[in-house]
Amino acid sequence: MSDLLPPLREVIARHGLDARKSLGQHFLFDLNLTGRIARAAGDLTVGTVIEIGPGPGGLTRALLDAGARQVIAIERDDRAIAIQDEIAAAYPGRLEIIAADALAIDTASLGETPRRIVANLPYNISTVLLLAWLRRAEAFERMILMFQKEVVDRLAAAPGSSHYGRLSVITQWLCEVRPLFNVDRRAFTPPPAVTSTIVEIVPRPAPLAPARFETMERVTAAAFGQRRKMLRSSLKALGDAEALIAAAGLDPTQRAETVPVEGFCALARAVEAASGSDRL
């Protein structure tokens, strides 16, 4: 149990675990906060919890104290792995440590279902990780993640908002997004330059509308790459823009930021049909 473990600051000092900017590290010491994050993940007594970049283990301890049956922690920093080994000894059989870069791990195949990802993500790779997980969204029951607030604003943005963009469309196409609470920068060591937000991302039973992931990426990249231009201009890179827009039932004078998620799905299907590979 965590009361058998030394305080986090003592652990960090003993292992020389200074936060490294190159790894996007910002450590959480507030036990009330880590407990709140763990509770947001729901019933952890079944399935697997996956944590990315656990660092000194404050959130790891909270997840285990909240009753997590199995936690799989992915960590690339050797200094933090030694700390995780100590936590594993205090919670026999419940913590597995994978010494690896999370970008190189097939997270969707880890542990038993239901799988939940609960993590204070390294900011420098947070959106890359999320997009990788979204490709296999059906493998996860939910994700409780910490991002910079501006990233969560984008994830949850509605059409017409200045925050609405590629990340909004692809995430909302596959998942329901619910911002939970903000975390003051002073809660971290060292404090990041921005406010952070905890967000709940729950994969939908089925996507909002049929489309291929790769084609959605292409369509949204083209549309939002020139977001101030009308669709008839921004979509030229995809082929006959006017024909694609008509097939999708959209207005060629619309701008990307006003097109709903289902509209981008229709565009993706039109692109597939035009290329002769429309089997979804």
Side-chain angles (χ1 to χ4, degrees):
M1 305 298 286
S2 61
D3 55 4
L4 301 177
L5 293 165
L8 290 175
R9 291 184 186 277
E10 179 182 320
V11 170
I12 285 174
R14 178 155 48 85
H15 289 271
L17 187 63
D18 57 302
R20 292 182 177 173
K21 186 175 182 180
S22 62
L23 297 177
Q25 292 175 325
H26 297 277
F27 300 146
L28 279 174
F29 293 119
D30 186 332
L31 298 182
N32 290 325
L33 179 58
T34 54
R36 187 179 180 190
I37 295 169
R39 289 191 298 274
D43 181 8
L44 305 181
T45 61
V46 294
T48 306
V49 181
I50 300 163
E51 185 184 5
I52 310 299
L59 181 55
T60 314
R61 295 187 192 189
L63 291 166
L64 291 162
D65 282 342
R69 186 189 70 86
Q70 180 187 35
V71 176
I72 298 178
I74 303 172
E75 178 60 75
R76 60 177 292 192
D77 188 338
D78 290 340
R79 303 168 303 160
I81 291 169
I83 296 173
Q84 289 287 303
D85 286 336
E86 294 176 2
I87 298 173
Y91 298 86
R94 295 171 59 198
L95 174 60
E96 176 185 344
I97 303 108
I98 298 178
D101 185 337
L103 292 171
I105 295 292
D106 179 13
T107 310
S109 66
L110 295 178
E112 297 179 8
T113 58
R115 295 184 190 88
R116 302 173 186 86
I117 303 177
V118 184
N120 167 21
L121 294 175
Y123 286 161
N124 54 353
I125 58 170
S126 60
T127 56
V128 178
L129 284 170
L130 177 60
L131 286 169
W133 297 333
L134 290 176
R135 287 178 175 273
R136 297 284 306 280
E138 73 285 350
F140 305 104
E141 189 217 47
R142 74 182 59 214
M143 308 175 203
I144 304 294
L145 305 174
M146 184 184 298
F147 294 97
Q148 297 179 43
K149 183 179 182 299
E150 65 179 37
V151 174
V152 175
D153 289 343
R154 288 160 55 200
L155 290 172
S161 162
S162 61
H163 296 295
Y164 186 68
R166 294 181 65 196
L167 196 59
S168 321
V169 172
I170 292 177
T171 306
Q172 293 174 36
W173 168 47
L174 299 168
C175 305
E176 295 182 7
V177 180
R178 185 166 70 101
L180 298 180
F181 55 89
N182 292 337
V183 180
D184 191 280
R185 56 188 297 274
R186 293 170 295 184
F188 299 90
T189 298
V194 295
T195 297
S196 301
T197 300
I198 302 294
V199 62
E200 178 185 56
I201 300 173
V202 179
R204 300 178 186 278
L208 277 179
R212 283 195 179 94
F213 195 99
E214 294 78 8
T215 312
M216 285 290 281
E217 286 193 311
R218 284 180 58 207
V219 168
T220 53
F224 287 103
Q226 304 179 75
R227 64 183 297 142
R228 294 302 174 194
K229 291 191 174 182
M230 297 178 185
L231 292 179
R232 63 189 178 196
S233 297
S234 63
L235 297 181
K236 284 182 178 178
L238 300 176
D240 185 341
E242 296 278 1
L244 293 173
I245 294 164
L250 299 175
D251 180 344
T253 65
Q254 278 186 272
R255 291 176 171 79
E257 63 191 25
T258 68
V259 177
V261 173
E262 294 87 347
F264 283 106
C265 295
L267 275 172
R269 294 195 299 274
V271 169
E272 294 287 351
S275 67
S277 56
D278 57 349
R279 295 183 303 277
L280 294 174

